[in-house]
Amino acid sequence: TFFPAMLTLPAGGSATFFCNISRENDSGAEYSLNWYKETNHSQAQKIAEMSRNNSLTKTEKYLLTNHTPAFKIEILNLHQNDSGSYYCGLIAFFEPDKVMESNRSHLVVTAAPEKTNPTNKPEMEEGNPLDHVKAMLPGILLLAGAVVLLIFGYLTVMYRRGDVQKPPSENTPAEEKPPVVSVSTVDYGVLEFQWDQCTQVPPETQPVDQTEYATIVFPEEKPVTPERGKKHQD
């Protein structure tokens, strides 16, 4: 026997069927179990196989468990194309040409409404924050612009204040210190030279008394004017 006779499950889940072997056929002889699937009364397709001595067999799509005299098959990760009729077939080794088939059970896989609704709700809930962000975006931009303007104004005021507080020597050029221009002055004086009286020169070689003029230039800072009539000894 193959049961349950009818299963209706959503996609993404798993379906479980049991194939029960009568005690008459489970007399200790070796046998093998095959599982078949029919779609729209088409030719049956073998989907899994398990021997009497195996306790567990697993594939990507099916999980087979031996609970003698019942064998369980789980169809994993259901899709809508898994819908169809399922049954098991017993192949006894002592009668290799004989296959005993069980009754058919029907599986209907539907789209899961439980998964579509939760996916729609988050989208609606996620839409609300986006609407709030869009509504608040102009205010955020205005606030950011105001902060930038305040920072720019503060930096401008501090820069100008720094210029005002600079010492006068840094703000104004050195106009109070005119360039030093040396101006030379010319002062004329008369120097009179006289022969030393201690040394007498013979009359025939004594030169004639004469007056000579000299020009002396003194700096402007400390002008010095020689006294007129100052006598120097030769």
Side-chain angles (χ1 to χ4, degrees), residues 190-196 226-227 229-234:
V190 179
L191 298 180
E192 296 180 358
F193 298 92
Q194 193 175 27
W195 296 106
D196 189 1
E227 293 181 336
K230 183 177 180 181
K231 297 180 181 181
H232 298 273
Q233 294 181 356
D234 190 300

Side-chain angles (χ1 to χ4, degrees), residues 34-161:
N34 293 342
W35 278 266
Y36 301 92
K37 174 187 175 184
E38 289 181 355
T39 304
N40 297 329
H41 303 286
S42 61
Q43 183 178 1
Q45 178 184 2
K46 181 180 175 181
I47 58 175
E49 178 182 359
M50 188 176 190
S51 65
R52 180 176 182 270
N53 298 325
N54 291 343
S55 60
L56 182 66
T57 301
K58 183 177 181 182
T59 63
E60 184 178 356
K61 186 66 178 177
Y62 305 101
L63 176 61
L64 310 177
T65 308
N66 185 350
H67 298 288
T68 307
F71 291 81
K72 181 176 71 172
I73 178 172
E74 294 183 49
I75 306 172
L76 309 175
N77 191 16
L78 290 176
H79 296 282
Q80 290 186 349
N81 57 4
D82 291 327
S83 300
S85 298
Y86 292 84
Y87 64 96
C88 64
L90 175 64
I91 302 176
F93 292 161
F94 59 90
E95 296 180 359
D97 296 334
K98 185 178 180 180
V99 177
M100 290 176 286
E101 296 181 355
S102 66
N103 58 297
R104 269 64 170 169
S105 296
H106 300 283
L107 172 64
V108 178
V109 180
T110 60
E114 294 82 4
K115 292 186 178 181
T116 56
N117 290 337
T119 54
N120 292 333
K121 290 182 180 179
E123 290 178 359
M124 296 176 62
E125 294 176 358
E126 291 176 2
N128 293 331
L130 291 177
D131 294 337
H132 290 300
V133 172
K134 290 180 181 179
M136 295 174 61
L137 185 59
I140 295 174
L141 294 177
L142 290 176
L143 180 61
V147 172
V148 172
L149 289 177
L150 287 176
I151 295 175
F152 181 78
Y154 175 79
L155 294 177
T156 304
V157 171
M158 293 302 295
Y159 178 78
R160 292 182 178 178
R161 184 178 297 176

Side-chain angles (χ1 to χ4, degrees), residues 174-181:
E175 295 180 357
E176 297 180 358
K177 297 180 180 180
V180 178
V181 180

